[in-house]
Amino acid sequence: MTEPFRPRITPDPSLASPTEATMGDVLNEGEYADLYHLAQAEGLPYFARLNGAGDVELYLVFESIDAFSEATRDAVSIEFKTYRQKLLAVIWTLSDPQEPLGFPLAFDIGKAEDRFMALRMLEQEHTPIHYLGFHDGNLIHIYSEAVTFSHRERERGEELIRRLFEGEWETEAEPAAEEVKEAEIATVPADVLSDTILREKGTAYHFAFDRMRERYGEEEAQHLLMSTLHQAMLVIRRHARSEVRESRFTIWAGEKEKSLLLMVTPDLSSLFEVIHMSADEANPFSRFLLALPDYRETTEEAPLAVGAYPILRYEAGQLFHLELSEATQERLARLYEAEAGNQEKANPYR
């Protein structure tokens, strides 16, 4: 008999889950016996668990509260990949591309219980992540939070599960494109951007590039700015909120009044409005770019008005380098001239 893609699994209603009331407290070994078994007896540093209500919970276990603090400085996110016929739910807790930290939970899709949990995790409204730590041989419930998935992420996750279930990759000798590695940055012509996108206004970060060039040299100064942009974009790619991960924006480079401008269009400030956190702290571009020593100010700008060029594009998790051409320059020149009030001005693109 063919095994169903969506198996039926009966949860154990006796299983207790950490709650807001247990946060900061030692978990009772009798009440949370299964958690002690998984974290202590089996020594698992991270695991998934089907709770008493039939929902999937994720657990990260740390040696101490200090270890938790060091490993969870950024907003947590979950990214789905595949590896050796297993679905990996990578829990990213540090998003710095130089020193990322991810915990890869493996679901063997050939096993009914693992397949059920993987599918259920995508279907449920949100997925709790519980952080536990050890203290004097006891488990402490340090903190809990939840992550959500967008409709697109749910569809992609289910597609990966179905392909694994149907054995599509069983004969592959080389790692599949979806396997555990950072997605490469593709290069596309800048002409793929629509006129609407090219006309967008946004946020401009001003830098004293002359001083940067004196301090680092031309090539190193450019590398510093580009690597900082990539760092901010990777944080967005791994953001805890699906609407941030699924966002779309363009990065521009231009000059104005002896400043180098790096611009993000459209304005993303509303996307990063978070309670109890300033906009600069919440917005990865502000967080990283404002930390550079030669940052001057932030303004609202229209890239076309200052003769800027689009250099990077982010589309729902995918990063693109934009390749410029003479056709791109001519198109930008025409769009500049079409803007009201620009007819009598010198065209910066010509």
Side-chain angles (χ1 to χ4, degrees), residues 58 60 76-79 89-93 101-105 129:
L58 308 180
L60 300 183
V76 71
S77 66
I78 296 178
E79 183 178 15
V90 184
I91 307 173
W92 293 105
T93 60
L101 181 60
F103 299 85
L105 282 168
I129 301 178

Side-chain angles (χ1 to χ4, degrees), residues 133-184:
F134 284 106
H135 180 68
D136 293 336
N138 295 312
L139 277 179
I140 294 178
H141 176 203
I142 302 173
Y143 182 66
S144 292
E145 61 184 322
V147 295
T148 60
F149 303 113
S150 68
H151 178 71
R152 177 178 174 274
E153 289 170 325
R154 294 175 195 273
E155 285 188 335
R156 177 180 175 275
E158 183 170 332
E159 179 188 356
L160 293 178
I161 295 170
R162 187 173 291 279
R163 288 165 66 183
L164 289 170
F165 177 70
E166 294 173 353
E168 185 174 328
W169 291 335
E170 283 186 355
T171 59
E172 291 192 6
E174 296 297 323
E178 303 285 354
E179 290 189 3
V180 184
K181 58 183 179 181
E182 193 64 68
E184 295 181 359

Side-chain angles (χ1 to χ4, degrees), residues 95-153:
S95 53
D96 184 341
Q98 303 302 318
E99 296 183 14
L101 181 60
F103 299 85
L105 282 168
F107 295 88
D108 187 342
I109 301 305
K111 297 179 179 178
E113 184 174 358
D114 279 21
R115 188 165 68 255
F116 177 87
M117 286 201 292
L119 289 167
R120 181 60 191 149
M121 183 167 53
L122 291 169
E123 295 165 352
Q124 60 197 38
E125 185 177 350
H126 61 268
T127 298
I129 301 178
H130 300 297
Y131 301 92
L132 309 180
F134 284 106
H135 180 68
D136 293 336
N138 295 312
L139 277 179
I140 294 178
H141 176 203
I142 302 173
Y143 182 66
S144 292
E145 61 184 322
V147 295
T148 60
F149 303 113
S150 68
H151 178 71
R152 177 178 174 274
E153 289 170 325

